[in-house]
Amino acid sequence: MKDATPSMVLLSEYRAPDWVVEDLDLRFDLDPASTRVESLIRVRRAEGAEAGAALRLHGRDLELLRLEVDGKAPESGAVTTDAEGLLLTGLPDSAAITVETCIRPEANTALEGLYVSGGTLCTQCEPEGFRRITYFPDRPDVLTRYRVRLEADASRYPVLLANGNRVEAGELPAGRHYAVWEDPFPKPSYLFALVAGDLSCVSDRFTTRSGREVALEVYVEHHNRDRCAHALASLKRAMRYDEDAFGREYDLDVYMIVAVEDFNMGAMENKGLNLFNAKYVLASPETATDNDYVHIEGVIAHEYFHNWSGNRVTCRDWFQLSLKEGLTVFRDQEFTTDCTLFGVKRIDDAQGLRAFQFPEDAGPLAHPVRPDRYAEINNFYTMTVYEKGAELIRMLRTLIGREAFRRGLDLYFERFDGQAVTTEDFVDVMAEASGRDLARFRRWYTQAGTPRVTARTHFDSRVGALQIDLEQETPPTPGQQEKHPLHIPVRLSLLGRDGRVLPARLEGAAEATEFVVELTEEAQSFRLSGLREAPAAVSWLRGFSAPVRLDAGQGTAELAHLVVHDDDAFARWDALQALLRRAVIARIGSEPDPVLEAALTTAIGALLEDSGIEPVVLATLLDLPSHRELMESFERADPVAVDAARHAVEQAVFQPLAERLASGAPDPGRWDDGAFTAEAMGQRRLLNRILALRVAIGAAGAVEDAVRQYREARSQTLAMGALAAVNDSADPARGELLADFERRHRADPLVLDKWFALESGSQVGDGLARLERLLDHPGFRWSNPNRVRAVLGPFMAQNHRHFHREDGAGYQRLADYLEHLDSLNPQTSARLAQPLTRWQRLDPARSAQMRQVLERLAGKDLSPDLADVIQRALAR
Ligand SMILES: [Zn+2]
């Protein structure tokens, strides 16, 4: 039976808990078919709570075996059961509540609460999984100390883990054993975790700067022991970085990471016991690409950083999710920038934001970084809450300066340690530390939508001053028709005719070469004076200083000047993207623009000749704007035509450069060692990008080069680079290489996922028939989220020709698959449904087809997760 659609939860209805949980004692009798959970909750009425206030214990899909208050069954009428769980009335001011429940981990396909993955018992509790384990006030503002006793069969589950420190363990009769764990830090239930399994432990040590010895332990299936070195090295780098850059030190004696195969999310920061999707732990040069290495390092760091931003200081309620996620994404982005990717990280993040968050902000699922209502909180783990949330933190730092920002962060951790707080509290602390008025900045948290900033300049040669006129406007979003001006930092520089930055003075301040103007009104003017020549180009939004769309009305010549000379990697990339976007739009709208395309060829030709550009930056500069981003340039567009125009521009611009591309490509043999260094990864990124370009434009010998690269590759990065290059090619080599790859990696789930993704995303042949064959593949499992995502995701994201078939068969098939998936795993089905919500942006015929499919889905018996997404998609 399905759950009824839950009612809307409103921020305005937040009430502090009436009951304090003094401590919690949990005892698990673990068994995959039937696990018994005994819980002793000692509660005390909160100060200021009404005398008659009831105690809410959340619970879902639980079999209740026993409920006692102070050792006795409660009086009849004192316990009410409803959709949320139990409501206890008539309690004394303090009480000991015993709850015994029975749960069935094996039957849990939603992967929330306690479930089985590859024989290992494990948990996922954020946001509301704990209520599927036992009855408890399952809300983030109820913090308490946990003592957890785990008991299980010793041969089947030799490893028994929970949060905190292990204080006791031993043998029991009948081949069973137990372990007791205590977490000295009070935590909310969403940070609870346990693991029981037959796992290998790969360990290391770390000494914190104050001298605390910490055991680092990574638990994996035995055959994966040799793929943990990168995860451990990443963890140590992250621990050191958090001390150096943010002054944060680890606080327990042990830090554990467990890799599981079936996991809805990337990873989970449970106190001291992180659970990870195996994809973000296991790596070796033969099985993982450079991208995988970078993601693993980033996710390991992210979860580790949560120990302070999330665990020591947590969220008051789920509306505040960005308090921990925005801040922690910001922290992991800083880490990756400083330690691994340097300048190109900002471009990657801006690219991701534009391709995924901007469309979210412009679509039916748009919501503020701090939403004020939700029907299903699972659906708010979004790019807006995470990545736009991180941009808000970065803007704060830009506005108040690095020193005040660091003072603010220190104050935040000190003042709120052990508490559950709000995004308002965070901004308050930053205002206090800097003495700045951040009233208008706060709107970023409550107002959805991507602001559009229009910039115009006028140079007054008589006085050597540049007038800058800025205007801002945020388009309406669902439920928010009226928008207000935001506080937007716009970082800029001026470039002279020779390409060098020009010194100037902003509003009488000291002379500088880079300026941050703060736009706070709908329209505002600024003045840069002391200029000795007219600027040849303005380098706008340097470092992507704000998550806005900026239109500066720049002509081809000005943008081309920036492409050649700009010293800010983001602004330079952005100028080239603007030109490429224009060329694609021209091809869709009316006719190709040969002058523009020739200018692009010239500018890119100059980049290829410029030995001063780092390979990793050059590789990024050679990217075309993504299909998703291009779709955003239109009110409505034909996705297949956009794809075709994108490829036509690629052909026209890069074909004249075919020889220079071939001669400028790094040598695969030299960089095939899989070394995790910025230089080696940059070279591999460039050589794969050039190979893909050469195959795409039909350059002579390109397919042969790809075949050779694949055959000779020792590293997964070069093998995948070759496969990706030929994946949309009609050449028979494609099929041969893909088949070979499948044969070689059939037994390795993470590598096989890459094969599934390539097959699903390929536009060659009959995509729909191939999709069906993938689902029939012996390695396909509906119960494994990674596998399902690898098969359904790329089909919708990359296979434009077949997903957007004119007869609507692509949409229908996907809807059928999602309906089936929804009956097993609602979180994953709801997330994968996003591409089906974009119907309003498609050409009228496809729009009608997609809407029909959504309406049909809406009439089905869906989970609250998927029902919520479909209803919002149809609402506007
Ligand atoms: Zn996180």
Side-chain angles (χ1 to χ4, degrees), residues 734-735 738-739 742 752 755-756 758-760 762 764-782 787 791-792 795 799 802 813 817:
R734 178 205 172 267
L738 268 284
E742 191 271 349
L752 193 62
W755 173 82
F756 274 105
L758 285 166
E759 289 286 12
S760 154
S762 172
V764 175
D766 183 345
L768 218 45
R770 193 167 50 239
L771 190 60
E772 244 169 76
R773 284 201 300 279
L774 294 178
L775 297 178
D776 285 338
H777 188 279
F780 183 79
R781 281 197 295 134
W782 282 107
R787 188 59 40 92
V791 175
L792 302 188
F795 185 79
N799 209 335
H802 301 110
R813 196 68 59 83
Y817 294 151

Side-chain angles (χ1 to χ4, degrees), residues 292-441:
D292 296 331
Y293 268 73
V294 170
H295 284 140
I296 288 170
E297 188 194 50
V299 177
I300 295 248
H302 179 96
E303 307 309 332
Y304 174 72
F305 296 159
H306 266 315
N307 191 53
W308 277 94
S309 49
N311 300 3
R312 290 286 288 256
V313 181
T314 194
C315 304
R316 188 192 73 177
D317 51 68
W318 292 120
F319 300 103
Q320 320 297 331
L321 184 56
S322 194
L323 177 82
K324 75 177 178 78
E325 295 305 342
L327 179 54
T328 306
V329 170
F330 168 80
R331 276 149 57 68
D332 81 56
Q333 288 175 345
E334 288 293 294
F335 167 69
T336 304
T337 303
D338 291 346
C339 299
T340 308
L341 289 183
F342 309 101
V344 86
K345 172 67 175 159
R346 201 64 198 122
I347 300 178
D348 286 353
D349 289 341
Q351 205 166 17
L353 208 74
R354 282 181 178 168
F356 296 95
Q357 197 278 324
F358 281 17
E360 183 170 273
D361 239 352
L365 306 182
H367 54 274
V369 168
R370 196 217 57 201
D372 58 10
R373 61 192 55 223
Y374 60 77
E376 176 50 67
I377 186 58
N378 279 340
N379 292 335
F380 283 80
Y381 286 73
T382 59
M383 288 290 287
T384 299
V385 166
Y386 278 63
E387 274 74 14
K388 186 177 179 181
E391 294 303 325
L392 269 48
I393 306 284
R394 185 170 287 100
M395 283 192 287
L396 266 174
R397 186 179 66 177
T398 301
L399 290 171
I400 70 177
R402 283 179 182 258
E403 279 175 30
F405 179 78
R406 176 60 200 276
R407 276 201 308 276
L409 263 189
D410 288 348
L411 188 58
Y412 170 74
F413 289 125
E414 187 189 322
R415 182 172 296 168
F416 298 120
D417 190 7
Q419 296 182 45
V421 300
T422 64
T423 56
E424 287 281 301
D425 292 326
F426 184 84
V427 181
D428 282 348
V429 162
M430 288 296 161
E432 186 180 326
S434 64
R436 290 285 312 263
D437 174 8
L438 298 171
R440 195 148 286 192
F441 184 83

